[in-house]
Amino acid sequence: MVMENEVLSRILPARVTEGLKALSADKLTEIRLRSNRSVTVQYGGVFRYLSPGGLLSMPQQAVTVTQSDVEQTVLRACEKSLYAVNDRICAGFLTLSSGIRLGIAGETVFDGDKIRAVKNFAALNIRIPHEVKGCAATVLPMLKSGNTYHTTLVLSPPGAGKTTILRDIARQIGDAFPVRNVLIADERSELAASTFGTASLDVGQNTDVITGCTKAFAFERAIRSLRPDVMITDELTCEDDAFAVLGAAESGITVFASVHADSLDGMCKKPWIAPLIEAGAFTRYVLLSERHGVGTIEGVFNADFSLLAAGAP
């Protein structure tokens, strides 16, 4: 967490970083700054208010931030060049070199139906990635298919460990023998946290990363030019994402992806996932939760949703 601590110290107001010093970096996953309100943190899977000496259950005596603090945090995060990262801000987030992601709320400026800018930043959700090497060790053998792997969809509510387990799957397959070429389509730079094209998180020796573009663009270019055996991407959110996965699967490439859902039924209700289910694109499903902490495996399921292996009791 050394790099993450350095980044947080560089971008956050001093009174916020002072309060964070009382916390264990391994348990800190989110920091929320809201204009003229108390700072909250997700710590050990639970939200608390941040005080100068640690955590509180109530907002009284908690650290507060102003709108200027929020805006200055964004400016420091983009090294005072808003113009250079305007497209990413318009998409709602900034990803920093260590994989820390700033979700941004503010006043949007439209030109027709296109967002041109975001101004008057009012709130930030700062998400801190955690490498948990080996977290996929129990589930990965159940995803094997002969000498390769099943195309797999990981589902969970937000913050329950989808990205972390996908990162470890990439690392384990990318380091395995016989060698398989792995491609990460890292639209938000969360899986690999690439800096100047180089992954700053461990995603495996034989893993390539395409970042900063749509999944559809990354999948198409990768299939044409990089010949991956395995493709990994996070958070399918629209039809274009789903069609990219379907095209790769139909090309004989193993795909690992994720979606926000708290159950198989919830997943099936997402209209962009239905065509993938109907086509039989995924032959394994992994359901995660936070029931026993982030990354709790609730179950591994076959293509017909029958239970292959139950998770934690």
Side-chain angles (χ1 to χ4, degrees):
M1 290 291 292
V2 174
M3 182 183 297
E4 288 86 346
N5 289 338
E6 290 176 352
V7 172
L8 292 174
S9 296
R10 176 173 60 83
I11 68 171
L12 289 171
R15 60 188 178 282
V16 176
T17 57
E18 189 63 31
L20 294 177
K21 289 179 181 178
L23 308 183
S24 169
D26 291 340
K27 295 182 180 180
L28 181 65
T29 52
E30 289 188 23
I31 305 166
R32 290 180 178 261
L33 308 184
R34 296 180 173 99
S35 174
N36 301 317
R37 283 184 277 174
S38 300
V39 176
T40 59
V41 299
Q42 187 179 46
Y43 188 75
V46 179
F47 276 101
R48 294 281 191 271
Y49 293 97
L50 182 70
S51 78
L55 299 177
L56 299 169
S57 297
M58 300 297 288
Q60 292 80 7
Q61 300 181 343
V63 174
T64 61
V65 292
T66 65
Q67 183 167 359
S68 177
D69 290 325
V70 174
E71 292 185 341
Q72 288 300 314
T73 298
V74 176
L75 283 171
R76 286 189 289 267
C78 66
E79 299 181 349
K80 307 216 170 162
S81 179
L82 288 173
Y83 178 79
V85 295
N86 184 63
D87 287 348
R88 280 176 277 169
I89 291 176
C90 287
F93 65 92
L94 286 175
T95 305
L96 307 186
S97 59
S98 58
I100 292 174
R101 190 175 82 171
L102 278 68
I104 300 171
E107 182 182 345
T108 53
V109 179
F110 276 82
D111 181 3
D113 60 355
K114 183 176 176 60
I115 297 175
R116 292 298 182 187
V118 179
K119 62 181 183 178
N120 298 327
F121 305 121
L124 299 175
N125 176 21
I126 302 171
R127 296 183 62 180
I128 302 161
H130 290 268
E131 286 189 291
V132 184
K133 292 186 177 181
C135 68
T138 58
V139 74
L140 196 55
M142 291 181 275
L143 308 181
K144 287 278 287 184
S145 176
N147 293 323
T148 183
Y149 294 88
H150 287 274
T151 287
T152 299
L153 186 63
V154 179
L155 52 148
S156 83
K162 295 185 300 299
T163 303
T164 303
I165 199 169
L166 285 174
R167 184 184 301 119
D168 196 54
I169 287 171
R171 181 188 66 83
Q172 292 197 45
I173 297 176
D175 283 344
F177 184 84
V179 171
R180 292 182 180 86
N181 297 309
V182 181
L183 186 284
I184 294 178
D186 202 3
E187 186 172 359
R188 298 177 179 84
S189 298
E190 288 186 292
L191 282 163
S194 296
T195 305
F196 301 112
T198 301
S200 60
L201 300 176
D202 187 357
V203 291
Q205 291 288 328
N206 298 296
T207 301
D208 305 310
V209 182
I210 297 178
T211 190
C213 62
T214 65
K215 296 174 181 66
F217 181 92
F219 272 49
E220 180 184 356
R221 296 307 187 275
I223 292 170
R224 286 182 178 179
S225 60
L226 293 173
R227 201 188 65 75
D229 302 303
V230 176
M231 300 182 76
I232 297 175
T233 194
D234 206 2
E235 295 185 17
L236 306 182
T237 60
C238 63
E239 287 185 354
D240 286 348
D241 292 352
F243 288 139
V245 169
L246 184 59
E250 290 178 343
S251 298
I253 297 168
T254 299
V255 180
F256 292 87
S258 72
V259 68
H260 286 320
D262 59 5
S263 66
L264 292 172
D265 285 343
M267 174 195 69
C268 291
K269 292 177 182 177
K270 296 182 181 294
W272 59 93
I273 298 297
L276 295 173
I277 297 171
E278 292 169 6
F282 293 111
T283 49
R284 287 287 188 274
Y285 297 89
V286 178
L287 176 62
L288 304 180
S289 77
E290 295 181 275
R291 188 162 56 91
H292 295 304
V294 174
T296 299
I297 297 172
E298 294 290 350
V300 180
F301 302 85
N302 294 304
D304 62 359
F305 300 158
S306 61
L307 182 65
L308 175 67

